């Protein structure tokens, strides 16, 4: 485990310094392309019935995860046969690609910059790149709130969860996790098209994120005082509102962030023109403001660093 943690720390440093290498085709895009192609295949192979779509969903999930983890495993084994240093360097680079600390900050700060310029249309466009909800009619406060929620939620599945899986099994397990996470984001919807076909992927994502989501929420609480936010408020709202979401995992970081910031997050939102009623998270002690995007990014970075320290300590203790 010490080597996988060392590789992880080096990959994390690259991510913190450089962010996503946009000049290179991202492996998650390849996984997304694989999902699209295999979805079409399995929809043709299985009947359009409840059981047929459930079976197609299982085949889709298993195929995507096996391929997504198997290909990196074979490449790493081949690289190790050529030279151990090549496999080590490839592992560092892949860990770097699979983490999203700086890119999450950068994308959310585009929203902040647009709001600071007073350009609401530009801010709506920027936030539409990082959220799934409809953004065309969002107010300035709603745009800022959407950006804060995205950073809070993605701290878990874009940073802490990948760090845990990368520490435990290197890039192979990291790719396995990201494949499941990408499956959930593409087919894990409760609508007519994916209610049955996406169920297996959605449940698998819930299982894999069960521990990381809760750990991320607790880390948010611990980090809050050190980044000049309300630690007591984070703990209070985390305990009270961490289950205020249809997903068993999504509200943990949002609750801690809402308490740390002293704002109310979540609530009703429109997706594809349809209004979905959702519970709120946190207390409306004040309106959400653009500066909260900068504040939640302090939580993001502090949590990533604390998680890295914990993983290093755990590896050294073994």
């Amino acid at each position: 485990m010490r080597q996988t943690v060392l590789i992880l720390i080096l990959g994390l440093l690259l991510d913190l310094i450089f962010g996503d290498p946009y000049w290179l085709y991202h492996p998650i895009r390849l996984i997304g392309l694989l999902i699209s192609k295999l979805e079409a295949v399995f929809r043709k192979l299985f009947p359009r019935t409840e059981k047929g779509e459930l079976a197609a969903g299982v085949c889709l999930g298993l195929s995507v995860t096996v391929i997504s983890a198997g290909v990196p495993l074979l490449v790493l084994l081949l690289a190790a046969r050529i030279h151990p240093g090549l496999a080590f360097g490839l592992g560092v680079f892949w860990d770097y690609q699979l983490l999203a600390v700086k890119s999450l900050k950068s994308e959310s700060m585009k929203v902040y910059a647009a709001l600071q310029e007073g350009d609401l249309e530009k801010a709506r466009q920027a936030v539409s790149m990082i959220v799934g909800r409809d953004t065309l009619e969002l107010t300035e406060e709603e745009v800022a709130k959407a950006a804060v929620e995205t950073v809070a939620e993605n701290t878990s599945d874009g940073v802490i969860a990948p760090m845990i899986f990368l520490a435990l099994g290197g890039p192979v397990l990291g790719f396995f996790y990201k494949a499941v996470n990408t499956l959930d984001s593409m087919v894990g919807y409760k609508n007519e098209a994916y209610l049955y076909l996406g169920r297996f992927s959605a449940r698998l994502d819930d299982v894999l994120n069960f521990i990381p989501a809760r750990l991320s929420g607790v880390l948010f609480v611990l980090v809050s005082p050190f980044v000049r936010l309300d630690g007591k408020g984070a703990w209070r709202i985390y305990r009270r509102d961490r289950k205020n979401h249809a997903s068993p995992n999504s509200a943990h970081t949002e609750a801690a962030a809402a308490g740390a910031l002293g704002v109310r997050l979540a609530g009703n939102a429109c997706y594809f023109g349809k209004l979905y009623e959702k519970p709120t998270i946190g207390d409306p002690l004040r309106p959400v403001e653009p500066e909260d995007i900068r504040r939640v990014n302090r939580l993001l970075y502090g949590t990533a660093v604390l998680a890295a320290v914990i993983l290093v300590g755990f590896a050294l203790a073994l």
Side-chain angles (χ1 to χ4, degrees):
M1 183 178 178
R2 290 188 179 186
Q3 179 163 310
T4 58
V5 171
L6 173 60
I7 291 172
L8 166 62
I9 297 303
L10 293 175
L12 176 62
L13 289 174
L14 288 176
D15 178 57
L16 293 174
I17 296 170
F18 300 109
D20 274 347
Y22 292 109
W23 49 270
L24 185 65
Y25 200 82
H26 202 283
I28 304 306
R29 293 180 65 184
L30 292 175
I31 294 175
L33 181 61
L34 176 65
I35 292 169
S36 296
K37 297 294 184 183
L38 289 181
E39 178 188 345
V41 170
F42 289 122
R43 281 191 183 275
K44 291 180 179 178
L45 289 177
F46 290 89
R48 290 183 175 272
T49 62
E50 178 180 334
K51 290 184 178 180
E53 292 195 357
L54 286 171
V58 171
C59 291
L60 174 64
L62 292 177
S63 299
V64 170
T65 51
V66 168
I67 294 171
S68 298
V71 171
L73 174 61
L74 292 175
V75 173
L76 283 171
L77 290 174
L78 179 60
R81 292 193 65 176
I82 297 172
H83 193 281
L86 179 60
F88 185 90
L90 184 58
V92 171
F93 183 74
W94 273 343
D95 280 20
Y96 158 46
Q97 285 191 296
L98 292 175
L99 295 170
V101 182
K102 187 168 185 179
S103 64
L104 186 55
K105 176 187 176 183
S106 297
E107 293 302 314
S108 64
M109 288 303 291
K110 291 178 183 178
V111 181
Y112 173 79
L115 290 174
Q116 289 296 98
E117 294 170 6
D119 192 336
L120 182 56
E121 288 303 315
K122 184 178 178 181
R124 288 168 174 167
Q125 176 62 29
V127 83
S128 73
M129 303 303 293
I130 57 175
V131 301
R133 75 192 66 178
D134 298 341
T135 63
L136 290 178
E137 298 182 3
L138 295 183
T139 64
E140 178 178 320
E141 181 182 356
E142 289 169 339
V143 168
K145 184 170 75 122
V148 169
E149 290 168 356
T150 296
V151 174
E153 184 175 351
N154 282 281
T155 298
S156 177
D157 57 20
V159 179
I160 302 304
M163 287 178 69
I164 293 172
F165 284 95
L166 289 168
L168 292 175
V172 173
L173 204 55
F175 274 111
F176 172 80
Y177 170 78
K178 293 302 289 187
V180 173
N181 195 237
T182 307
L183 276 162
D184 181 59
S185 67
M186 291 182 65
V187 304
Y189 296 103
K190 293 182 178 179
N191 57 25
E192 186 177 351
Y194 293 109
L195 180 61
Y196 301 114
L197 186 133
R199 184 172 297 179
F200 175 79
S201 296
R203 295 293 181 269
L204 184 57
D205 185 75
D206 287 344
V207 170
L208 293 189
N209 280 296
F210 187 86
I211 292 175
R214 286 148 182 81
L215 177 61
S216 298
V218 172
L219 290 176
F220 263 22
V221 173
L222 295 175
V223 165
S224 293
F226 297 98
V227 294
R228 304 188 304 279
L229 296 175
D230 186 357
K232 291 183 179 179
W235 177 240
R236 181 176 64 84
I237 300 300
Y238 174 74
R239 292 181 63 192
R240 191 190 75 189
D241 292 349
R242 68 187 186 277
K243 297 180 181 179
N244 285 9
H245 200 285
S247 163
N249 301 320
S250 294
H252 288 263
T253 46
E254 285 191 49
L261 295 169
V263 298
R264 172 172 285 175
L265 300 177
N268 299 346
C270 288
Y271 296 85
F272 307 107
K274 182 179 179 180
L275 178 66
Y276 287 83
E277 295 186 358
K278 303 163 67 175
T280 58
I281 296 172
D283 294 327
L285 303 181
R286 60 174 179 81
V288 180
E289 59 187 16
E291 195 63 30
D292 287 318
I293 300 173
R294 290 169 58 90
R295 294 178 183 124
V296 78
N297 277 311
R298 296 205 304 264
L299 267 181
L300 162 67
Y301 269 67
T303 298
V305 171
L306 180 56
V309 170
I310 292 172
L311 289 171
V312 169
F314 185 71
L316 292 175
L318 293 178

